[in-house]
């Protein structure tokens, strides 16, 4: 339902700017670490949420962490793989 839509909205909000920041500004390593920290924070927050609106917020932030965790981490990993 709406929780999955909030996850997708968070993903869409960061799918373009996070890889650009990883390439040009901050470096890939720090954005991968930040994405993982955000994921852990959101999961713990979902455990202790008391109403549906808090869960919407945590699902949105969880979607935001996807760009750092998966997209930037995939590029970071491919750089170190031998051909």
């Amino acid at each position: 339902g709406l929780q999955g839509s909030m996850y997708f909205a968070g993903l869409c909000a960061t799918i373009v700017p996070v890889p650009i920041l990883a390439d040009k500004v901050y470096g890939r390593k720090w954005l991968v670490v930040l994405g993982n920290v955000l994921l852990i924070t959101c999961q713990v927050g979902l455990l202790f949420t008391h109403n549906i609106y808090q869960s919407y917020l945590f699902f949105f932030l969880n979607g935001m962490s996807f760009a750092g965790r998966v997209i930037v981490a995939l590029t970071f990993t491919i750089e170190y793989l031998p051909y």
Side-chain angles (χ1 to χ4, degrees):
L2 188 55
Q3 292 170 335
S5 297
M6 293 302 288
Y7 181 88
F8 188 68
L11 170 69
C12 289
T14 58
I15 200 84
V16 173
V18 169
I20 292 171
L21 290 174
D23 287 338
K24 297 185 178 182
V25 181
Y26 295 110
R28 291 186 180 103
K29 178 181 176 183
W30 298 111
L31 286 174
V32 170
V33 170
L34 180 67
N36 286 325
V37 168
L38 185 60
L39 171 72
I40 292 168
T41 305
C42 290
Q43 296 300 323
V44 171
L46 279 171
L47 284 174
F48 297 110
T49 187
H50 292 291
N51 60 26
I52 194 75
Y53 301 110
Q54 289 176 347
S55 70
Y56 292 158
L57 173 69
F58 286 123
F59 272 102
F60 183 80
L61 293 174
N62 197 356
M64 288 179 69
S65 73
F66 181 84
R69 288 184 301 120
V70 177
I71 297 170
V72 176
L74 178 66
T75 307
F76 189 61
T77 305
I78 289 173
E79 286 181 350
Y80 292 106
L81 290 176
Y83 291 105

